[in-house]
Amino acid sequence: MTEINLQELQKNRTYVKDVFESDKEIVELVGWVHNVRDLSKVKFIVLRDITGIIQVTGVGSKTPKEIFDDMEKISRESVLYVRGKVVDSKQAPGGKEVLPEEIKIISVAEELPIDVSDYSKTELPKRLDYRFLDLHRTRTQAIFNVQSTIQQAFVEFMVKEEKAMQAQFPSIIGSSSEGGTELFSAKYFDKEVCLSQSCQLYKQMLACSIEKVFAIFTVWRAEKHNTTRHLNESRQLDFEMAFADEFVVMEILAKCVEYIVKKVLEKNEEDLKLLEVKLKIPKTKYLTFEEVGKLMKENKIHMEKYDLSLEVEKKLGEFFKDTIVFVYDWPIHDKPFYIMPKGKDLSRGFDAIYQGMEISSGGQRVHIPEILEKRIAEKGLDVEDFKGYIDSFRYGAPPHAGWGIGLERLTMLILGIANIREVTLFPRDRDRISP
Ligand code: ATP
Ligand code: MG
Protein backbone atom coordinates (compact mmCIF):
# COMPACT_ATOMS: atom_id res chain seq x y z
CA MET A 1 0.00 0.00 0.00
CA THR A 2 1.20 3.46 -0.82
CA GLU A 3 0.70 6.79 0.74
CA ILE A 4 -0.06 9.62 -1.61
CA ASN A 5 0.15 13.37 -1.22
CA LEU A 6 -3.50 14.26 -0.83
CA GLN A 7 -3.02 17.99 -1.26
CA GLU A 8 -1.24 17.43 -4.58
CA LEU A 9 -3.91 14.94 -5.56
CA GLN A 10 -6.70 17.43 -4.89
CA LYS A 11 -4.96 19.88 -7.24
CA ASN A 12 -4.30 17.39 -10.01
CA ARG A 13 -7.11 14.89 -9.80
CA THR A 14 -9.51 14.38 -12.70
CA TYR A 15 -12.95 12.95 -11.98
CA VAL A 16 -14.02 10.13 -14.28
CA LYS A 17 -16.87 12.16 -15.73
CA ASP A 18 -14.41 14.87 -16.76
CA VAL A 19 -12.26 12.36 -18.61
CA PHE A 20 -15.18 11.82 -20.96
CA GLU A 21 -16.21 15.45 -21.04
CA SER A 22 -12.78 17.03 -21.62
CA ASP A 23 -9.89 16.35 -23.96
CA LYS A 24 -7.26 15.90 -21.25
CA GLU A 25 -4.52 13.52 -22.36
CA ILE A 26 -2.77 12.66 -19.12
CA VAL A 27 -4.97 12.17 -16.10
CA GLU A 28 -4.60 11.30 -12.43
CA LEU A 29 -7.57 9.30 -11.20
CA VAL A 30 -8.54 7.85 -7.84
CA GLY A 31 -11.37 5.46 -7.13
CA TRP A 32 -12.50 1.96 -6.35
CA VAL A 33 -11.90 -1.20 -8.36
CA HIS A 34 -15.28 -1.92 -9.91
CA ASN A 35 -14.19 -4.93 -11.87
CA VAL A 36 -11.02 -6.76 -12.97
CA ARG A 37 -10.60 -8.84 -16.10
CA ASP A 38 -7.53 -10.69 -17.18
CA LEU A 39 -7.20 -11.83 -20.79
CA SER A 40 -3.50 -12.65 -20.19
CA LYS A 41 -2.15 -10.32 -22.90
CA VAL A 42 -4.55 -7.56 -21.98
CA LYS A 43 -5.77 -6.73 -18.48
CA PHE A 44 -8.64 -4.46 -17.55
CA ILE A 45 -9.46 -2.67 -14.36
CA VAL A 46 -12.75 -0.82 -14.32
CA LEU A 47 -12.21 2.09 -11.97
CA ARG A 48 -15.15 3.82 -10.29
CA ASP A 49 -15.34 7.17 -8.59
CA ILE A 50 -18.45 9.05 -7.49
CA THR A 51 -18.97 10.41 -11.01
CA GLY A 52 -18.75 7.23 -13.07
CA ILE A 53 -16.67 4.30 -14.28
CA ILE A 54 -13.76 4.11 -16.69
CA GLN A 55 -11.70 1.28 -18.12
CA VAL A 56 -8.00 1.16 -17.32
CA THR A 57 -6.35 -1.08 -19.87
CA GLY A 58 -2.97 -2.74 -19.45
CA VAL A 59 -1.37 -4.14 -22.61
CA GLY A 60 1.39 -6.72 -22.15
CA SER A 61 3.57 -5.28 -24.86
CA LYS A 62 3.19 -1.61 -23.78
CA THR A 63 2.38 -1.23 -20.09
CA PRO A 64 5.37 -1.15 -17.68
CA LYS A 65 5.92 -4.75 -16.57
CA GLU A 66 5.58 -4.26 -12.79
CA ILE A 67 2.25 -2.48 -13.31
CA PHE A 68 0.98 -5.06 -15.78
CA ASP A 69 1.88 -7.95 -13.46
CA ASP A 70 0.11 -6.34 -10.51
CA MET A 71 -3.11 -5.53 -12.32
CA GLU A 72 -4.79 -8.89 -11.94
CA LYS A 73 -3.98 -9.13 -8.24
CA ILE A 74 -5.96 -6.10 -7.18
CA SER A 75 -9.15 -7.09 -5.40
CA ARG A 76 -12.55 -5.60 -6.09
CA GLU A 77 -13.32 -2.38 -4.16
CA SER A 78 -9.65 -1.73 -3.42
CA VAL A 79 -8.80 1.96 -3.68
CA LEU A 80 -6.36 2.97 -6.43
CA TYR A 81 -4.47 5.91 -7.76
CA VAL A 82 -3.97 5.69 -11.51
CA ARG A 83 -1.93 8.04 -13.69
CA GLY A 84 -2.22 7.37 -17.37
CA LYS A 85 -2.91 8.40 -20.89
CA VAL A 86 -6.43 8.83 -22.21
CA VAL A 87 -7.09 7.25 -25.58
CA ASP A 88 -10.18 6.74 -27.68
CA SER A 89 -11.44 3.19 -27.75
CA LYS A 90 -14.52 1.87 -29.50
CA GLN A 91 -14.78 -1.16 -27.21
CA ALA A 92 -14.43 0.68 -23.92
CA PRO A 93 -17.57 1.86 -22.10
CA GLY A 94 -18.01 5.56 -22.87
CA GLY A 95 -15.61 5.40 -25.80
CA LYS A 96 -12.42 6.21 -23.89
CA GLU A 97 -9.94 4.26 -21.82
CA VAL A 98 -6.83 4.98 -19.79
CA LEU A 99 -3.47 3.35 -20.47
CA PRO A 100 -1.76 3.27 -17.07
CA GLU A 101 1.71 4.68 -16.50
CA GLU A 102 1.52 4.46 -12.74
CA ILE A 103 -0.81 2.58 -10.42
CA LYS A 104 -0.70 2.92 -6.63
CA ILE A 105 -2.79 0.84 -4.29
CA ILE A 106 -4.09 3.19 -1.62
CA SER A 107 -6.18 0.64 0.28
CA VAL A 108 -6.66 -3.09 -0.23
CA ALA A 109 -10.17 -4.51 0.08
CA GLU A 110 -10.38 -7.84 1.86
CA GLU A 111 -12.80 -10.53 0.72
CA LEU A 112 -16.20 -8.82 0.45
CA PRO A 113 -18.94 -10.05 2.80
CA ILE A 114 -21.73 -8.95 0.43
CA ASP A 115 -22.31 -8.85 -3.30
CA VAL A 116 -21.70 -5.25 -4.35
CA SER A 117 -22.79 -5.56 -7.95
CA ASP A 118 -25.74 -3.43 -9.08
CA TYR A 119 -28.20 -6.29 -8.89
CA SER A 120 -26.81 -7.60 -5.61
CA LYS A 121 -27.64 -11.17 -4.77
CA THR A 122 -27.30 -10.40 -1.08
CA GLU A 123 -30.60 -10.01 0.78
CA LEU A 124 -31.49 -6.62 2.23
CA PRO A 125 -30.91 -7.41 5.94
CA LYS A 126 -27.36 -8.52 5.27
CA ARG A 127 -26.72 -5.56 3.01
CA LEU A 128 -27.94 -3.33 5.83
CA ASP A 129 -25.50 -5.03 8.23
CA TYR A 130 -22.81 -3.86 5.83
CA ARG A 131 -24.50 -0.62 4.75
CA PHE A 132 -21.13 1.15 4.47
CA LEU A 133 -20.17 -1.35 1.79
CA ASP A 134 -23.63 -1.43 0.23
CA LEU A 135 -23.04 2.27 -0.38
CA HIS A 136 -20.30 1.31 -2.85
CA ARG A 137 -23.12 0.14 -5.14
CA THR A 138 -24.17 2.68 -7.71
CA ARG A 139 -27.84 1.75 -7.23
CA THR A 140 -27.64 2.52 -3.54
CA GLN A 141 -25.84 5.75 -4.30
CA ALA A 142 -28.58 6.69 -6.77
CA ILE A 143 -31.29 6.24 -4.11
CA PHE A 144 -29.57 8.58 -1.68
CA ASN A 145 -28.73 11.08 -4.40
CA VAL A 146 -32.45 11.31 -5.01
CA GLN A 147 -33.21 11.58 -1.29
CA SER A 148 -30.69 14.39 -1.02
CA THR A 149 -32.48 16.24 -3.82
CA ILE A 150 -35.83 15.70 -2.09
CA GLN A 151 -34.55 17.34 1.09
CA GLN A 152 -32.87 20.20 -0.73
CA ALA A 153 -35.92 20.82 -2.90
CA PHE A 154 -38.15 20.88 0.19
CA VAL A 155 -35.96 23.53 1.82
CA GLU A 156 -35.70 25.49 -1.42
CA PHE A 157 -39.47 25.42 -1.97
CA MET A 158 -40.16 26.57 1.57
CA VAL A 159 -37.60 29.36 1.49
CA LYS A 160 -38.09 30.60 -2.06
CA GLU A 161 -41.75 29.96 -2.78
CA GLU A 162 -43.32 30.18 0.66
CA LYS A 163 -40.86 32.52 2.39
CA ALA A 164 -41.08 30.30 5.43
CA MET A 165 -38.56 30.15 8.28
CA GLN A 166 -36.55 27.00 8.94
CA ALA A 167 -36.70 25.87 12.56
CA GLN A 168 -35.03 23.37 14.88
CA PHE A 169 -36.99 21.74 17.68
CA PRO A 170 -36.08 19.72 20.75
CA SER A 171 -36.19 15.94 20.53
CA ILE A 172 -36.36 15.45 24.27
CA ILE A 173 -39.73 16.13 25.80
CA GLY A 174 -40.96 15.94 29.38
CA SER A 175 -44.11 14.03 28.55
CA SER A 176 -46.20 12.87 25.65
CA SER A 177 -46.88 15.67 23.20
CA GLU A 178 -49.90 14.11 21.59
CA GLY A 179 -51.26 11.76 24.19
CA GLY A 180 -50.06 8.72 22.29
CA THR A 181 -48.64 5.80 24.19
CA GLU A 182 -46.09 4.82 21.57
CA LEU A 183 -43.17 6.77 22.97
CA PHE A 184 -39.62 5.78 23.74
CA SER A 185 -38.49 6.79 27.15
CA ALA A 186 -34.98 7.73 28.15
CA LYS A 187 -33.07 8.69 31.27
CA TYR A 188 -32.33 12.38 31.65
CA PHE A 189 -30.27 12.91 34.81
CA ASP A 190 -32.67 11.82 37.55
CA LYS A 191 -35.76 12.23 35.41
CA GLU A 192 -37.56 10.06 32.94
CA VAL A 193 -38.09 11.76 29.56
CA CYS A 194 -39.47 10.84 26.14
CA LEU A 195 -38.17 11.05 22.60
CA SER A 196 -40.31 13.22 20.40
CA GLN A 197 -42.91 11.50 18.22
CA SER A 198 -43.50 14.74 16.27
CA CYS A 199 -42.76 18.46 16.47
CA GLN A 200 -46.47 19.20 16.30
CA LEU A 201 -46.84 21.37 19.36
CA TYR A 202 -43.65 23.32 18.72
CA LYS A 203 -44.37 24.11 15.10
CA GLN A 204 -47.81 25.31 16.14
CA MET A 205 -46.29 27.69 18.66
CA LEU A 206 -44.07 29.07 15.89
CA ALA A 207 -46.94 29.41 13.43
CA CYS A 208 -48.64 31.56 16.06
CA SER A 209 -45.74 34.01 16.06
CA ILE A 210 -43.54 33.53 12.98
CA GLU A 211 -46.53 32.66 10.74
CA LYS A 212 -44.76 30.28 8.33
CA VAL A 213 -42.34 27.69 9.55
CA PHE A 214 -40.80 24.45 8.32
CA ALA A 215 -38.40 21.81 9.60
CA ILE A 216 -36.82 18.50 8.74
CA PHE A 217 -37.37 16.74 12.01
CA THR A 218 -36.49 13.26 13.29
CA VAL A 219 -39.28 11.42 15.07
CA TRP A 220 -39.34 8.26 17.16
CA ARG A 221 -42.27 5.92 17.44
CA ALA A 222 -42.19 2.95 19.75
CA GLU A 223 -44.72 1.04 17.68
CA LYS A 224 -44.02 -2.66 17.49
CA HIS A 225 -44.99 -2.88 13.84
CA ASN A 226 -42.86 -4.79 11.45
CA THR A 227 -43.94 -3.57 8.04
CA THR A 228 -42.19 -2.46 4.88
CA ARG A 229 -43.43 1.13 5.33
CA HIS A 230 -42.74 1.87 9.00
CA LEU A 231 -39.54 2.69 10.84
CA ASN A 232 -39.11 3.41 14.52
CA GLU A 233 -36.98 6.40 13.70
CA SER A 234 -37.95 8.47 10.70
CA ARG A 235 -37.63 11.94 9.31
CA GLN A 236 -40.47 14.31 8.56
CA LEU A 237 -40.77 17.30 6.29
CA ASP A 238 -42.90 19.54 8.50
CA PHE A 239 -44.81 22.68 7.64
CA GLU A 240 -47.12 24.93 9.62
CA MET A 241 -48.64 28.33 8.86
CA ALA A 242 -50.93 30.93 10.39
CA PHE A 243 -54.24 32.17 8.96
CA ALA A 244 -54.81 28.97 7.04
CA ASP A 245 -57.30 26.13 6.97
CA GLU A 246 -56.84 22.62 5.57
CA PHE A 247 -57.51 23.71 1.99
CA VAL A 248 -54.80 26.35 2.04
CA VAL A 249 -52.18 23.88 3.25
CA MET A 250 -53.32 21.03 0.99
CA GLU A 251 -52.64 23.27 -1.98
CA ILE A 252 -49.19 24.12 -0.63
CA LEU A 253 -48.48 20.44 -0.07
CA ALA A 254 -49.40 19.67 -3.68
CA LYS A 255 -47.16 22.46 -4.94
CA CYS A 256 -44.36 21.32 -2.67
CA VAL A 257 -44.41 17.70 -3.86
CA GLU A 258 -44.70 18.89 -7.45
CA TYR A 259 -41.64 21.10 -6.90
CA ILE A 260 -39.71 18.22 -5.33
CA VAL A 261 -40.55 15.82 -8.18
CA LYS A 262 -39.58 18.44 -10.78
CA LYS A 263 -36.21 18.91 -9.08
CA VAL A 264 -35.62 15.15 -8.96
CA LEU A 265 -36.42 14.91 -12.68
CA GLU A 266 -34.00 17.76 -13.35
CA LYS A 267 -31.12 16.81 -11.10
CA ASN A 268 -31.29 13.02 -10.96
CA GLU A 269 -31.89 12.04 -14.54
CA GLU A 270 -29.07 9.48 -14.49
CA ASP A 271 -30.05 8.09 -11.10
CA LEU A 272 -33.63 7.60 -12.28
CA LYS A 273 -32.37 5.87 -15.41
CA LEU A 274 -30.17 3.55 -13.37
CA LEU A 275 -33.06 2.74 -11.03
CA GLU A 276 -35.41 2.31 -14.01
CA VAL A 277 -37.92 4.78 -12.61
CA LYS A 278 -40.43 6.49 -14.86
CA LEU A 279 -41.31 9.47 -12.74
CA LYS A 280 -44.13 11.86 -13.57
CA ILE A 281 -45.05 15.20 -12.07
CA PRO A 282 -48.06 14.38 -9.89
CA LYS A 283 -51.57 15.62 -10.50
CA THR A 284 -53.95 16.32 -7.62
CA LYS A 285 -57.37 15.03 -6.71
CA TYR A 286 -59.60 16.06 -3.82
CA LEU A 287 -62.09 13.60 -2.32
CA THR A 288 -64.07 13.71 0.89
CA PHE A 289 -63.81 10.71 3.18
CA GLU A 290 -67.45 9.98 2.31
CA GLU A 291 -66.72 10.07 -1.43
CA VAL A 292 -63.90 7.59 -0.92
CA GLY A 293 -66.41 5.39 0.92
CA LYS A 294 -68.80 5.51 -2.04
CA LEU A 295 -66.05 4.81 -4.52
CA MET A 296 -64.91 1.79 -2.54
CA LYS A 297 -68.47 0.53 -2.18
CA GLU A 298 -68.91 0.69 -5.94
CA ASN A 299 -65.78 -1.39 -6.27
CA LYS A 300 -66.78 -3.79 -3.51
CA ILE A 301 -63.88 -2.90 -1.27
CA HIS A 302 -64.38 -2.84 2.46
CA MET A 303 -64.07 0.60 4.00
CA GLU A 304 -63.54 1.22 7.68
CA LYS A 305 -65.56 3.83 9.51
CA TYR A 306 -62.82 6.17 10.68
CA ASP A 307 -59.65 5.40 8.74
CA LEU A 308 -58.39 4.29 5.35
CA SER A 309 -57.15 0.74 5.33
CA LEU A 310 -54.01 -0.26 3.48
CA GLU A 311 -56.18 -1.81 0.80
CA VAL A 312 -58.16 1.38 0.30
CA GLU A 313 -54.97 3.44 0.05
CA LYS A 314 -53.66 0.97 -2.50
CA LYS A 315 -56.86 1.18 -4.54
CA LEU A 316 -56.72 4.98 -4.51
CA GLY A 317 -53.23 4.64 -5.94
CA GLU A 318 -54.56 2.38 -8.70
CA PHE A 319 -57.56 4.56 -9.51
CA PHE A 320 -55.51 7.77 -9.48
CA LYS A 321 -52.02 6.99 -10.75
CA ASP A 322 -49.27 9.60 -10.34
CA THR A 323 -51.73 11.69 -8.37
CA ILE A 324 -51.74 13.12 -4.89
CA VAL A 325 -55.15 12.19 -3.56
CA PHE A 326 -56.28 14.45 -0.73
CA VAL A 327 -58.91 12.86 1.47
CA TYR A 328 -60.58 15.56 3.59
CA ASP A 329 -63.72 16.01 5.69
CA TRP A 330 -62.23 13.20 7.74
CA PRO A 331 -64.25 11.78 10.66
CA ILE A 332 -63.13 13.44 13.89
CA HIS A 333 -63.29 10.16 15.82
CA ASP A 334 -59.74 8.92 15.24
CA LYS A 335 -58.05 12.25 14.56
CA PRO A 336 -55.73 13.66 17.22
CA PHE A 337 -57.07 16.25 19.65
CA TYR A 338 -55.19 19.09 17.97
CA ILE A 339 -57.19 18.73 14.73
CA MET A 340 -60.04 21.23 14.38
CA PRO A 341 -63.52 19.69 14.44
CA LYS A 342 -65.90 20.49 11.57
CA GLY A 343 -69.56 20.27 12.54
CA LYS A 344 -70.50 17.36 14.76
CA ASP A 345 -68.70 14.36 13.28
CA LEU A 346 -66.13 15.64 10.86
CA SER A 347 -62.77 17.34 11.15
CA ARG A 348 -60.52 19.70 9.27
CA GLY A 349 -57.90 16.97 9.06
CA PHE A 350 -56.80 15.27 5.86
CA ASP A 351 -54.51 12.56 4.58
CA ALA A 352 -52.55 12.73 1.34
CA ILE A 353 -52.21 9.45 -0.55
CA TYR A 354 -49.59 9.08 -3.27
CA GLN A 355 -48.88 5.93 -5.31
CA GLY A 356 -51.16 3.95 -3.01
CA MET A 357 -49.75 4.97 0.35
CA GLU A 358 -50.16 7.74 2.92
CA ILE A 359 -47.41 10.31 2.54
CA SER A 360 -48.84 12.93 4.83
CA SER A 361 -51.41 13.85 7.43
CA GLY A 362 -52.34 17.41 8.13
CA GLY A 363 -55.13 19.81 8.78
CA GLN A 364 -56.29 22.93 10.50
CA ARG A 365 -55.39 22.90 14.19
CA VAL A 366 -57.38 23.91 17.22
CA HIS A 367 -56.31 27.39 18.33
CA ILE A 368 -59.17 27.93 20.78
CA PRO A 369 -58.36 26.78 24.34
CA GLU A 370 -61.95 25.76 25.21
CA ILE A 371 -62.23 23.48 22.16
CA LEU A 372 -58.83 21.98 22.94
CA GLU A 373 -59.83 21.21 26.52
CA LYS A 374 -63.01 19.54 25.29
CA ARG A 375 -61.18 17.49 22.67
CA ILE A 376 -58.45 16.38 25.08
CA ALA A 377 -61.09 15.28 27.58
CA GLU A 378 -63.02 13.44 24.85
CA LYS A 379 -59.86 11.52 24.05
CA GLY A 380 -59.79 10.35 27.66
CA LEU A 381 -56.65 12.37 28.43
CA ASP A 382 -56.03 14.59 31.43
CA VAL A 383 -56.46 18.25 30.50
CA GLU A 384 -54.05 19.17 33.33
CA ASP A 385 -51.21 17.32 31.51
CA PHE A 386 -51.61 19.65 28.53
CA LYS A 387 -51.95 22.89 30.46
CA GLY A 388 -48.79 24.48 29.05
CA TYR A 389 -49.80 23.64 25.51
CA ILE A 390 -53.38 24.89 25.93
CA ASP A 391 -52.21 28.08 27.64
CA SER A 392 -49.94 28.89 24.70
CA PHE A 393 -53.07 29.77 22.75
CA ARG A 394 -54.34 32.30 25.32
CA TYR A 395 -52.19 35.26 24.28
CA GLY A 396 -53.15 35.92 20.69
CA ALA A 397 -53.27 32.78 18.60
CA PRO A 398 -54.39 32.95 14.98
CA PRO A 399 -56.09 30.05 13.22
CA HIS A 400 -53.38 27.87 11.69
CA ALA A 401 -52.83 24.67 9.76
CA GLY A 402 -50.01 22.41 8.63
CA TRP A 403 -48.77 18.98 7.65
CA GLY A 404 -45.88 16.54 7.85
CA ILE A 405 -44.57 14.35 5.04
CA GLY A 406 -42.51 11.27 5.84
CA LEU A 407 -39.17 11.72 4.06
CA GLU A 408 -38.50 8.01 3.68
CA ARG A 409 -42.11 7.34 2.62
CA LEU A 410 -41.89 9.97 -0.06
CA THR A 411 -38.55 8.61 -1.25
CA MET A 412 -39.81 5.04 -1.55
CA LEU A 413 -42.93 6.15 -3.43
CA ILE A 414 -41.09 8.45 -5.81
CA LEU A 415 -38.70 5.61 -6.61
CA GLY A 416 -41.23 2.79 -6.50
CA ILE A 417 -39.14 0.90 -3.93
CA ALA A 418 -41.04 -1.64 -1.85
CA ASN A 419 -39.17 -1.55 1.46
CA ILE A 420 -38.66 1.65 3.43
CA ARG A 421 -35.38 0.31 4.86
CA GLU A 422 -33.92 0.39 1.37
CA VAL A 423 -34.30 4.17 1.28
CA THR A 424 -33.02 4.79 4.81
CA LEU A 425 -29.26 5.09 5.22
CA PHE A 426 -29.14 3.52 8.66
CA PRO A 427 -32.63 2.27 9.46
CA ARG A 428 -33.91 1.78 12.98
CA ASP A 429 -36.61 -0.83 13.20
CA ARG A 430 -37.77 -3.17 15.92
CA ASP A 431 -34.67 -5.32 15.63
CA ARG A 432 -32.07 -3.12 14.08
CA ILE A 433 -30.09 -0.56 16.04
CA SER A 434 -26.78 -0.83 14.22
CA PRO A 435 -24.79 0.13 12.25
P1 ATP B 1 -49.44 5.45 8.98
O1 ATP B 1 -50.95 5.52 9.08
O2 ATP B 1 -48.98 5.26 7.57
O3 ATP B 1 -48.84 4.51 9.95
P2 ATP B 1 -49.43 7.80 10.62
O4 ATP B 1 -50.78 8.34 10.27
O5 ATP B 1 -49.27 7.08 11.88
O6 ATP B 1 -48.89 6.90 9.41
P3 ATP B 1 -48.48 10.52 10.88
O7 ATP B 1 -48.39 10.72 12.34
O8 ATP B 1 -49.65 11.08 10.17
O9 ATP B 1 -48.35 8.97 10.55
O10 ATP B 1 -47.09 11.01 10.25
C1 ATP B 1 -46.97 11.83 9.12
C2 ATP B 1 -46.25 11.09 8.01
O11 ATP B 1 -45.01 10.55 8.44
C3 ATP B 1 -47.01 9.90 7.48
O12 ATP B 1 -47.95 10.28 6.53
C4 ATP B 1 -45.91 9.06 6.86
O13 ATP B 1 -45.52 9.59 5.62
C5 ATP B 1 -44.75 9.29 7.83
N1 ATP B 1 -44.67 8.26 8.86
C6 ATP B 1 -45.48 8.07 9.90
N2 ATP B 1 -45.11 7.04 10.67
C7 ATP B 1 -43.99 6.55 10.11
C8 ATP B 1 -43.13 5.48 10.43
N3 ATP B 1 -43.32 4.73 11.50
N4 ATP B 1 -42.08 5.25 9.62
C9 ATP B 1 -41.86 6.02 8.55
N5 ATP B 1 -42.63 7.04 8.18
C10 ATP B 1 -43.71 7.31 8.94
MG1 MG C 1 -51.29 10.01 9.41
Side-chain angles (χ1 to χ4, degrees):
M1 269 182 275
T2 327
E3 271 191 41
I4 54 168
N5 184 324
L6 297 172
Q7 288 160 34
E8 282 298 310
L9 174 74
Q10 284 300 337
K11 280 188 213 134
N12 301 331
R13 171 184 184 186
T14 302
Y15 281 95
V16 166
K17 198 162 190 261
D18 294 334
V19 176
F20 295 106
E21 290 176 0
S22 73
D23 45 17
K24 277 187 191 166
E25 283 178 8
I26 299 291
V27 290
E28 292 183 54
L29 307 171
V30 279
W32 291 260
V33 174
H34 195 65
N35 205 352
V36 186
R37 262 187 312 144
D38 180 4
L39 307 178
S40 80
K41 284 192 180 128
V42 191
K43 291 175 188 172
F44 301 106
I45 292 175
V46 177
L47 192 75
R48 182 189 73 242
D49 72 11
I50 197 64
T51 66
I53 57 166
I54 191 159
Q55 181 169 293
V56 177
T57 307
V59 184
S61 54
K62 286 188 199 159
T63 306
K65 188 170 178 332
E66 65 288 2
I67 296 176
F68 187 76
D69 288 347
D70 276 354
M71 278 181 76
E72 69 192 71
K73 295 182 201 136
I74 304 170
S75 55
R76 175 145 197 197
E77 299 310 315
S78 290
V79 180
L80 300 187
Y81 163 89
V82 177
R83 186 171 52 79
K85 197 173 162 208
V86 181
V87 294
D88 291 330
S89 159
K90 279 206 188 92
Q91 290 95 335
K96 284 184 183 185
E97 63 185 351
V98 172
L99 305 178
E101 287 167 4
E102 189 182 1
I103 294 182
K104 289 180 187 169
I105 301 176
I106 300 173
S107 167
V108 171
E110 295 177 17
E111 191 184 333
L112 303 178
I114 60 167
D115 175 6
V116 291
S117 56
D118 276 354
Y119 294 90
S120 179
K121 289 186 193 70
T122 311
E123 300 279 336
L124 181 61
K126 182 135 188 230
R127 283 200 285 113
L128 290 176
D129 290 342
Y130 293 94
R131 185 57 125 175
F132 56 91
L133 188 53
D134 188 51
L135 281 160
H136 287 218
R137 296 172 62 228
T138 41
R139 281 180 77 84
T140 311
Q141 291 172 0
I143 291 171
F144 294 104
N145 280 341
V146 170
Q147 191 167 71
S148 169
T149 303
I150 293 174
Q151 296 180 71
Q152 283 169 31
F154 172 66
V155 174
E156 207 176 282
F157 173 82
M158 283 298 163
V159 173
K160 282 195 188 156
E161 306 289 317
E162 291 302 324
K163 315 270 184 284
M165 188 188 89
Q166 184 163 14
Q168 299 286 353
F169 300 114
S171 294
I172 292 172
I173 47 173
S175 60
S176 163
S177 50
E178 298 180 16
T181 49
E182 300 108 351
L183 286 163
F184 286 109
S185 57
K187 251 183 104 121
Y188 190 76
F189 303 109
D190 52 356
K191 286 197 185 75
E192 177 107 333
V193 292
C194 301
L195 295 181
S196 201
Q197 72 198 117
S198 83
C199 61
Q200 184 59 37
L201 311 185
Y202 294 101
K203 65 177 183 171
Q204 283 190 255
M205 288 185 203
L206 262 75
C208 290
S209 51
I210 308 284
E211 293 207 24
K212 271 192 190 179
V213 58
F214 73 97
I216 300 181
F217 189 69
T218 306
V219 299
W220 290 271
R221 299 186 178 186
E223 291 154 5
K224 285 188 177 160
H225 40 52
N226 189 6
T227 76
T228 50
R229 63 184 199 291
H230 288 104
L231 298 162
N232 292 105
E233 178 183 79
S234 69
R235 265 63 37 178
Q236 297 209 342
L237 310 176
D238 270 297
F239 174 64
E240 199 75 20
M241 73 177 279
F243 306 107
D245 62 12
E246 71 274 35
F247 293 98
V248 175
V249 294
M250 280 192 277
E251 198 182 329
I252 293 175
L253 193 156
K255 278 192 197 148
C256 179
V257 176
E258 221 173 85
Y259 190 95
I260 289 172
V261 171
K262 266 189 198 152
K263 286 288 164 185
V264 170
L265 284 166
E266 255 171 59
K267 291 189 176 171
N268 300 92
E269 202 185 329
E270 282 177 33
D271 298 311
L272 293 175
K273 210 155 96 192
L274 187 85
L275 296 166
E276 295 160 85
V277 176
K278 300 237 176 330
L279 185 60
K280 290 200 183 127
I281 295 168
K283 297 169 277 199
T284 45
K285 175 89 189 167
Y286 289 82
L287 291 172
T288 63
F289 191 88
E290 199 183 338
E291 283 167 342
V292 175
K294 277 195 197 126
L295 184 65
M296 293 304 142
K297 203 173 168 194
E298 281 162 23
N299 288 277
K300 302 196 171 41
I301 294 153
H302 173 72
M303 173 94 173
E304 279 161 37
K305 223 167 146 190
Y306 303 124
D307 204 355
L308 302 185
S309 64
L310 255 189
E311 196 196 357
V312 170
E313 287 182 4
K314 213 170 137 210
K315 281 290 161 196
L316 286 175
E318 284 170 22
F319 294 156
F320 308 101
K321 284 209 179 75
D322 299 305
T323 303
I324 300 166
V325 184
F326 289 108
V327 183
Y328 66 101
D329 277 0
W330 198 284
I332 189 77
H333 190 273
D334 274 3
K335 281 288 172 196
F337 62 74
Y338 54 76
I339 291 286
M340 185 66 103
K342 186 174 184 178
K344 195 164 116 337
D345 299 318
L346 300 182
S347 77
R348 294 194 172 276
F350 69 85
D351 271 15
I353 315 295
Y354 177 53
Q355 315 295 50
M357 215 179 276
E358 178 191 325
I359 51 163
S360 178
S361 287
Q364 185 178 340
R365 322 300 189 184
V366 181
H367 65 289
I368 300 163
E370 294 69 37
I371 302 179
L372 254 187
E373 284 170 353
K374 184 165 164 274
R375 287 288 300 138
I376 289 170
E378 275 170 11
K379 287 264 161 197
L381 299 165
D382 190 346
V383 173
E384 227 8 71
D385 291 344
F386 296 89
K387 191 171 178 303
Y389 172 61
I390 299 166
D391 286 349
S392 76
F393 300 111
R394 292 190 197 278
Y395 309 98
H400 58 281
W403 42 255
I405 302 176
L407 171 66
E408 296 87 355
R409 278 279 175 93
L410 185 61
T411 312
M412 71 188 278
L413 295 169
I414 281 180
L415 294 179
I417 287 174
N419 193 328
I420 197 163
R421 292 160 186 80
E422 190 88 67
V423 303
T424 310
L425 276 171
F426 301 102
R428 295 288 174 262
D429 62 22
R430 207 170 147 187
D431 304 310
R432 181 175 296 282
I433 45 170
S434 76

